[in-house]
Amino acid sequence: MKIRTGSNITLTTIIAALQCTLAIVVQAGNTSDSRKTSGRQEPTGTPQYQIFDIGVVDVGDAFSQGFGVSPAGIAVGRSIRNDGSHAFTWTIQGGIVGLPDLAGRSYCVSNSANDNGIVVGTGATTAFGSGRLPVVWQNGVVSQLPLPVGQSLGDANSVNASNVAVGSVNAGSDQRGVIYNGGSATIITQTTTNGSFFLTAFGINDSGRIVGQGIDPQNAARNVGIVYDIGQSMAFEVGALPGHNGALAFGVSNSGYVVGSSMQNQGSGLPFIWSEANGMIASPLAPDTSLGQAEGVNSSGWVVGTDGGAFAVPFLYDGTNTYRLQDLIPGNSGWDLSMNTSSSAEAISENNIIVGTGVHDGATHAYAMAPVAPTPTPSPSPTPSVTPTATPTATPRVTPRPRPTPHPRPTPP
């Protein structure tokens, strides 16, 4: 595999320039005409975005997918070729940078990055996740994260500013959520009051709040949106939307918002945002869609995800309105984010940079969208405490994100 390094051999060398660029975006937003009511900044117009084609790592790679973005805007994902996949990072300044494979694992994906130059993900021997191992890249150097004693399989889905990562170990009915920290790995054994436990952890914020998919031993058919706070050693469920009995939690912000999908048992779901102050709130569906899931959220409560109907429709929810991402980019961009089954929106940074996958001039590629017009930010509710509050295929087009072993990322047709 050809690894592109150049001036991007370390992520830390580009942070200052990246933050400078993002400061310009914020300044543009602050000059907008907006109303302020009770401390909440109300938007006066539809957000507008510039979209960047992240591309592929090597000439000849078939396609790419975007899966995450750091708070300051470092995008991550994978670039897929016939016999494997490259993990990558991407920034506005430096473009795409291929990351080295873990020895013996030619299918690698980067799932999450922080702003310290730490990237985490998974290495496998097949596109379907066979022989998966948790991987960390630090300053461009790859290594395997440790596994708990007795474990031989694992993955890493998210990393916070303290370099603590989360994911899962083992497979099938023995799969469990795990925390990677300081050269060791610990299975999350804390259960909710009814005994539900972590199957896999999808996200962690800077205060150590972890979210993911849980299992209810009293009703294995029910999905559990589970939350665990490291400092408090307490686990709880986010609950469910009216008419549903469970949920899946995919993302958590540093201010404590949790997002995911709520459903009856393991059926089709609806996107939600949860907070300590307001509990479960449905994120309105994009036009002409009937189901969906929220994937990422930032500290301001801006949510991204993918709704479904005849096609996969990535969306942005700003706390008031739900927008199709297709409607937020220039009409002559060459991007299709609404008329295919490969598109997604997976993550949003603190400065509202959105990362996902779309179709550009007929090629399925990862994208990054950066605000170019005022994007007023709602004031976040207080950070939640630990007290609980009472994929595109054929239609329907959104499949719950949990990736029970094996759990490969979706591959465009």
Side-chain angles (χ1 to χ4, degrees), residues 133-407:
L133 291 173
V135 177
V136 60
W137 292 270
Q138 184 168 10
N139 298 326
V141 178
V142 63
S143 59
Q144 180 191 325
L145 286 165
L147 290 169
V149 175
Q151 302 295 328
S152 59
L153 299 173
D155 48 47
N157 295 321
S158 182
V159 63
N160 69 9
S162 299
N163 304 333
V164 179
V166 296
S168 71
V169 295
N170 218 315
S173 61
D174 294 322
Q175 188 172 5
R176 294 292 184 272
V178 68
I179 301 169
Y180 306 99
N181 184 21
S184 64
T186 304
I187 293 175
I188 304 172
T189 57
Q190 184 66 47
T191 63
T192 66
T193 53
N194 77 334
S196 294
F197 58 88
F198 262 89
L199 179 71
T200 187
F202 289 124
I204 181 172
N205 70 7
D206 289 350
S207 63
R209 170 158 286 186
I210 301 169
V211 302
Q213 178 187 10
I215 295 294
D216 181 353
Q218 302 174 40
N219 181 5
R222 183 177 75 90
N223 282 324
V224 175
I226 192 167
V227 180
Y228 171 65
D229 282 280
I230 294 176
Q232 301 296 323
S233 296
M234 176 181 290
F236 62 91
E237 292 187 38
V238 293
L241 293 174
H244 295 161
N245 66 358
L248 297 165
F250 295 136
V252 59
S253 75
N254 283 333
S255 60
Y257 290 111
V258 177
V259 295
S261 185
S262 176
M263 70 286 294
Q264 180 68 23
N265 292 328
Q266 297 178 12
S268 301
L270 295 173
F272 72 83
I273 179 171
W274 176 94
S275 69
E276 177 68 21
N278 300 313
M280 292 280 284
I281 295 177
S283 170
L285 290 170
D288 301 319
T289 62
S290 58
L291 66 159
Q293 56 196 43
E295 296 279 359
V297 61
N298 65 17
S299 293
S300 299
W302 284 43
V303 180
V304 296
T306 308
D307 289 337
F311 303 104
V313 181
F315 70 84
L316 167 67
Y317 173 60
D318 66 1
T320 302
N321 300 305
T322 296
Y323 304 96
R324 299 190 320 161
L325 294 192
Q326 185 73 64
D327 299 329
L328 306 184
I329 59 177
N332 62 352
S333 67
W335 282 92
D336 171 16
L337 301 179
S338 63
M339 298 293 290
N340 64 78
T341 61
S342 300
S343 292
S344 67
E346 297 283 346
I348 183 168
S349 75
E350 296 291 45
N351 293 84
N352 301 327
I353 292 176
I354 301 169
V355 169
T357 302
V359 177
H360 187 214
D361 293 334
T364 300
H365 278 186
Y367 67 78
M369 290 172 50
V372 295
T375 53
T377 302
S379 299
S381 60
T383 301
S385 67
V386 295
T387 305
T389 298
T391 286
T393 53
T395 304
R397 289 292 179 178
V398 174
T399 300
R401 178 185 175 193
R403 297 176 290 275
T405 307
H407 46 73

Side-chain angles (χ1 to χ4, degrees), residues 4 8-11 14 54 57 68 73-79 86-92 94-99 110 112-114 117-120 137 140:
R4 300 182 183 179
N8 287 69
I9 193 166
T10 67
L11 292 178
I14 61 176
I54 289 177
V57 173
I74 301 168
V76 295
R78 68 176 176 180
S79 179
H86 309 277
F88 69 74
T89 62
W90 178 94
T91 62
I92 292 174
I96 191 169
V97 178
L99 298 174
S110 47
S112 177
N114 63 22
I118 302 295
V119 180
V120 300
W137 292 270

